[in-house]
Amino acid sequence: MSAMREQENICRRTTEVPTEFDPGRRIFRLSWLPDELTHLTYTGHRWEHSLTALLPAAAPDRGDGPVRAGRVVTVTAGARGVDVCRPLREWDPELTRSAPPSTPIGVAVAPVRDRPAYRYVSPDGSRAALSWRYAHDAWAAVLSTNQPESARVLRQIAEGLVGDDRPLTAPFLRVPPPVGCRLERVVVERRDDRWHRVSSGYLVPGSRSPYGDLTVGVTRDRAGGEGNATTVDGRPAWSADGLGTYRVGWVPGAAPGTVAEVGVLTPHGLSALGGGAAALALAARVRLVADPDDEAGWRPF
């Protein structure tokens, strides 16, 4: 598809933006990112979808460790009425006091694909943002931390955003959550062109947790687990005390060092699962697809 047709396509698809998205389907993709941003995480949520790309400040001691970012770019497209500039208000308290959430942050700059756009730079110059109204009452933003040439980079990223409605997919077979739970969030994390962590998050009926109550997923390149060491069906496992992450190793069909994980985020989630033993049992039921490194065989959430 030509660049002109892609631009027309996203404009047509974003004319009417819903108040909620489907977490399990993409809403955009990017045609360009700086090559040095090697760690990519796509998050699908009901009120917004985002892609975070970062350059680690230093490699973690283990592949499973948290990544300390030296440079970060996050692209976010919000549902109708969503404030995609929330992180800016958290960065700079003056913005919280001076502007309601619906007010664009920064100064008006050249439009992005003929849509009104605004640029913001933090007082110390380390953070920058380019936001634009991609549809009526719906905004997108590119935010960066420690990104050189941020004005040029953020605009190039924004101009390369195109619509995409393909299903998000996972390298594991779907494990049914507790009855009545609703898919709330999907996370697909890649490090250096390999999938690293993939999970689905669920909201328990009656819960108002903004990020869901429990998650089910897999993480590769883990040296072990955190919590109380135990076994499930003869497999190594690690149990949390109440809230936390329940992990089971030796996932069938996976390379060594891949663990299945059930995250318990709230008391509602723990209750819906039926306790910690049930959380471990759910993690033990996770199975990978035949070839988890071939994304063509991944399954929709």
Side-chain angles (χ1 to χ4, degrees):
M1 180 182 292
S2 69
M4 180 62 72
R5 288 184 61 194
E6 282 189 334
Q7 180 173 342
E8 293 172 351
N9 202 20
I10 188 171
C11 289
R12 184 166 54 251
R13 277 203 291 256
T14 57
T15 299
E16 296 296 334
V17 177
T19 56
E20 287 190 351
F21 292 130
D22 180 350
R25 298 191 74 90
R26 290 179 177 272
I27 64 170
F28 72 84
R29 61 183 173 83
L30 302 176
S31 61
W32 181 83
L33 274 171
D35 291 337
E36 65 270 20
L37 302 180
T38 56
H39 290 34
L40 308 177
T41 301
Y42 190 101
T43 302
H45 198 284
R46 289 195 173 271
W47 64 66
E48 65 187 23
H49 281 224
S50 65
L51 177 68
T52 297
L54 64 86
L55 169 69
D61 294 335
R62 301 191 316 241
D64 63 306
V67 174
R68 188 164 59 91
R71 191 181 304 167
V72 184
V73 170
T74 298
V75 184
T76 302
R80 178 154 41 95
V82 169
D83 177 22
V84 294
C85 289
R86 291 188 316 279
L88 297 182
R89 305 179 201 279
E90 295 169 2
W91 288 344
D92 187 349
E94 290 294 329
L95 297 175
T96 302
R97 290 193 290 267
S98 63
S102 60
T103 301
I105 290 179
V107 298
V109 292
V112 172
R113 293 189 167 181
D114 297 324
R115 304 297 177 100
Y118 297 81
R119 175 167 167 75
Y120 166 86
V121 179
S122 65
D124 65 1
S126 65
R127 298 182 174 98
L130 178 66
S131 60
W132 70 100
R133 189 190 299 273
Y134 76 94
H136 177 67
D137 200 23
W139 290 80
V142 188
L143 285 61
S144 71
T145 302
N146 300 329
Q147 175 60 53
E149 301 182 82
S150 61
R152 177 188 64 81
V153 171
L154 269 57
R155 179 163 291 275
Q156 188 167 349
I157 292 171
E159 294 286 357
L161 184 148
V162 294
D164 190 345
D165 60 359
R166 293 172 298 166
L168 287 160
T169 55
F172 56 90
L173 305 178
R174 185 177 183 274
V175 178
V179 174
C181 288
R182 181 180 77 170
L183 183 65
E184 188 74 5
R185 184 170 56 157
V186 166
V187 177
V188 181
E189 178 185 351
R190 293 179 172 83
R191 297 185 180 181
D192 298 314
D193 294 325
R194 300 170 70 237
W195 71 268
H196 176 72
R197 178 175 61 99
V198 183
S199 68
S200 52
Y202 297 92
L203 190 71
V204 172
S207 172
R208 294 186 177 182
S209 172
Y211 295 105
D213 299 289
L214 60 98
T215 64
V216 180
V218 292
T219 298
R220 73 191 311 170
D221 301 330
R222 287 198 65 90
E226 298 174 358
N228 305 312
T230 183
T231 59
V232 175
D233 297 331
R235 297 161 55 190
W238 299 267
S239 176
D241 291 321
L243 304 186
T245 304
Y246 294 77
R247 297 184 173 95
V248 177
W250 296 357
V251 181
T258 300
V259 298
E261 300 179 324
V262 170
V264 181
L265 309 180
T266 68
H268 288 293
L270 187 63
S271 177
L273 287 165
L280 275 182
L282 182 62
R285 292 202 295 272
V286 173
R287 299 289 186 274
L288 269 69
V289 298
D291 183 358
D293 287 323
D294 180 7
E295 294 195 27
W298 286 20
R299 303 293 182 85
F301 284 93

